[in-house]
């Protein structure tokens, strides 16, 4: 059996299998790497009044402030997906299920920023859950595993000629001594 040919065939055919899902993963991953640099992907974090460690505005005041911005689609607590409390910056990020983020000062309950947050959608595309849980588990997970196999076969194929050259040089070096 020719191992060199086998590894090339494995590498070759796996590249066709993972072509599309890996492309989606790579492109979405590139966007995720830039999420802090590009406001379109994820809104930058504002800074509120930082005087005390504990928020002085109540959650009800924060909800009332978020309601004032209809684009966020917040009418009650069932519209909120999560709250990200940034004590060191004096803000609370209310993330609506609609994808909008409302940043509120935790002292004054003043709205500092309202923006659409695309990073969560991009992350779900990256891991495959955007499509379905089955796609995530049965397509994107095996693609990740196959990419590790391709990485290994690729390194082997890369090192193989270099190792062969080194092997050929060693007998010559010992013959000249």
């Amino acid at each position: 059996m020719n191992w060199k040919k086998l590894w090339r065939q494995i590498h070759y055919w796996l590249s066709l299998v993972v072509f599309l899902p890996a492309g989606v993963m790579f492109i979405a991953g590139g966007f995720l790497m830039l999420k802090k640099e590009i406001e379109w992907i994820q809104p930058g974090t504002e800074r509120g009044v930082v005087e005390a460690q504990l928020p002085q505005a109540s959650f009800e005041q924060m909800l009332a402030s978020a309601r004032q911005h209809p684009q966020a689609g917040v009418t009650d607590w069932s519209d909120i997906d999560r709250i990200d409390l940034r004590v060191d910056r004096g803000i609370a990020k209310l993330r609506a299920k609609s994808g909008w983020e409302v940043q509120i000062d935790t002292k004054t309950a003043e709205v500092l920023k309202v923006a659409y947050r695309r990073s969560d959608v991009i992350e779900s595309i990256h891991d495959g859950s955007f499509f379905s849980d089955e796609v995530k588990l049965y397509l994107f997970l095996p693609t990740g595993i196959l990419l590790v196999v391709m990485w290994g076969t690729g390194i082997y194929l890369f090192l193989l000629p270099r190792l062969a050259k080194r092997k050929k040089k060693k007998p010559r070096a010992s013959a000249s001594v």
Side-chain angles (χ1 to χ4, degrees):
M1 176 186 298
N2 185 348
W3 287 102
K4 185 175 169 182
K5 186 174 181 176
L6 176 67
W7 290 123
R8 270 206 183 104
Q9 289 297 312
I10 290 171
H11 195 81
Y12 176 81
W13 289 107
L14 286 182
S15 67
L16 291 176
V17 171
V18 302
F19 176 75
L20 189 60
V24 170
M25 291 165 64
F26 295 156
I27 292 168
F31 277 107
L32 289 174
M33 284 187 214
L34 298 171
K35 72 181 179 182
K36 299 287 184 185
E37 283 75 26
I38 300 175
E39 188 86 13
W40 180 82
I41 299 171
Q42 179 175 306
T45 303
E46 296 296 316
R47 186 173 284 283
V49 178
V50 183
E51 288 181 0
Q53 289 295 314
L54 293 174
Q56 295 176 355
S58 71
F59 284 131
E60 290 305 320
Q61 290 173 308
M62 292 182 205
L63 180 63
S65 295
R67 283 185 186 136
Q68 295 173 2
H69 297 275
Q71 69 268 38
V74 175
T75 56
D76 60 27
W77 285 111
S78 65
D79 298 322
I80 302 293
D81 180 44
R82 69 185 83 144
I83 299 174
D84 182 4
L85 189 60
R86 301 287 175 101
V87 178
D88 62 325
R89 295 184 76 95
I91 66 158
K93 295 180 178 184
L94 276 68
R95 295 188 199 168
K97 290 179 180 174
S98 63
W100 285 80
E101 178 177 279
V102 182
Q103 295 183 19
I104 299 174
D105 188 311
T106 56
K107 180 178 183 191
T108 64
E110 174 190 349
V111 173
L112 302 172
K113 183 184 268 188
V114 179
Y116 190 75
R117 183 183 176 99
R118 292 171 180 84
S119 60
D120 295 335
V121 173
I122 295 170
E123 186 176 329
S124 70
I125 291 170
H126 177 69
D127 71 10
S129 60
F130 175 83
F131 307 104
S132 73
D133 285 339
E134 289 78 19
V135 169
K136 176 182 178 178
L137 291 174
Y138 301 117
L139 182 62
F140 277 58
L141 178 61
T143 295
I145 294 166
L146 292 176
L147 284 171
V148 171
V149 172
M150 287 183 65
W151 171 78
T153 59
I155 287 187
Y156 175 78
L157 292 171
F158 175 79
L159 293 176
L160 191 64
R162 286 147 185 83
L163 293 173
K165 280 183 185 177
R166 181 180 282 172
K167 197 174 185 180
K168 285 181 183 178
K169 284 183 182 179
K170 279 190 179 182
R172 286 187 207 156
S174 61
S176 63
V177 173

